[in-house]
Amino acid sequence: STTTDNSYNGSNLTIIARNALNITGKVLVEGGNTTSTGDPGSGGYVNITANQFLVHGELSARGGFGSSTQAVAGGNATAIWVNASLVRITGNVSAQGGSGSSTCGAAQGERGHGGNISINANTSIVIESPGILNASRGSVGGCNDGCGGYINITAPAVDLRGGNLTALGFGNTSSQNGTVFIQYVDNLTFDSVGNVTPGPTIARTSSFGRIRYLEAVTGYVTINFTNNISITNNSAVGDAATASGL
């Protein structure tokens, strides 16, 4: 909604589906927008449990937009949690911060912070073109501020060929830019078509243990994560392409 006064926060939404939840339209729990000096609202909370979770449309908990001409800041995004057996996303999942006014000053022009997106699957997660997960700061605002949020992807098999994951903020540190964390067991696949910004932090687990990169991986497209990291009984092996980042 849009108002000239302080706007409302987005609602909280919980969905429990016995079988498949397929979003082909729009599911929005966004913060309210303002057209005057009132403050925009924060995004709502989304909690989804399903056997199969499919997004071909849009799921959004973004922060509200401030007026582009009045002295207001953008609203903050909040969180989206998904727990399923299988996840496939070709649409847009957004916890992006709201945009602020074009002038930077006290309580004006600030960009909203990105929120959190957490997706956990028992079998596989596929995010393919033109699928997007967005936990970045607000895209517009007179101030160069607004922190990126947190994207967590956890499944035995993760396929991000063609997908776009972004948690960008106003700077280069993890607290400013946000974090993209990917944890897998059997298979992790990237390609040069998709994009993960900032570079992902990656971990692999097995019944014998866990390996996690200490820093974000900048050359992730060139690494075969399925074959080049092995966790076996009493040993963990990473080849030359992966060891420098462990």
Side-chain angles (χ1 to χ4, degrees):
S1 64
T2 301
T3 178
T4 58
D5 300 315
N6 290 341
S7 194
Y8 294 103
N9 295 329
S11 300
N12 298 335
L13 175 66
T14 298
I15 300 175
I16 300 175
R18 177 178 295 180
N19 295 312
L21 174 61
N22 186 4
I23 298 176
T24 57
K26 295 184 178 183
V27 177
L28 309 178
V29 292
E30 300 172 339
N33 304 323
T34 61
T35 59
S36 186
T37 57
D39 293 329
S42 297
Y45 291 87
V46 179
N47 196 332
I48 292 174
T49 302
N51 183 31
Q52 295 184 24
F53 177 62
L54 312 172
V55 180
H56 304 294
E58 180 179 5
L59 172 63
S60 177
R62 68 158 176 79
F65 286 6
S67 167
S68 61
T69 58
Q70 301 295 325
V72 293
N76 296 326
T78 47
I80 297 172
W81 298 286
V82 175
N83 290 279
S85 178
L86 180 149
V87 174
R88 190 178 193 92
I89 296 172
T90 60
N92 183 18
V93 177
S94 176
Q96 185 177 15
S99 294
S101 56
S102 57
T103 301
C104 183
Q108 59 179 298
E110 298 171 356
R111 307 184 190 200
H113 300 311
N116 297 333
I117 300 174
S118 180
I119 302 178
N120 298 275
N122 296 331
T123 58
S124 65
I125 295 173
V126 178
I127 304 172
E128 59 184 341
S129 181
I132 297 173
L133 301 186
N134 188 352
S136 294
R137 67 173 180 168
S139 58
V140 176
C143 301
N144 184 27
D145 61 357
C147 295
Y150 185 84
I151 297 176
N152 174 75
I153 302 293
T154 301
V158 178
D159 187 344
L160 302 178
R161 287 176 290 189
N164 288 275
L165 286 66
T166 177
L168 289 174
F170 68 94
N172 294 320
T173 69
S174 59
S175 61
Q176 297 166 342
N177 239 351
T179 299
V180 178
F181 179 58
I182 301 169
Q183 183 166 259
Y184 72 107
V185 177
D186 301 313
N187 302 293
L188 172 59
T189 307
F190 296 97
D191 68 4
S192 59
V193 176
N195 188 41
V196 180
T197 49
T201 299
I202 295 172
R204 185 171 192 176
T205 63
S206 79
S207 59
F208 301 112
R210 180 174 183 263
I211 291 179
R212 175 174 175 170
Y213 281 74
L214 295 176
E215 299 178 353
V217 182
T218 56
Y220 59 90
V221 174
T222 64
I223 299 173
N224 185 326
F225 291 99
T226 300
N227 296 329
N228 292 8
I229 296 178
S230 177
I231 307 173
T232 60
N233 190 18
N234 297 321
S235 69
V237 178
D239 73 359
T242 62
S244 62
L246 293 174

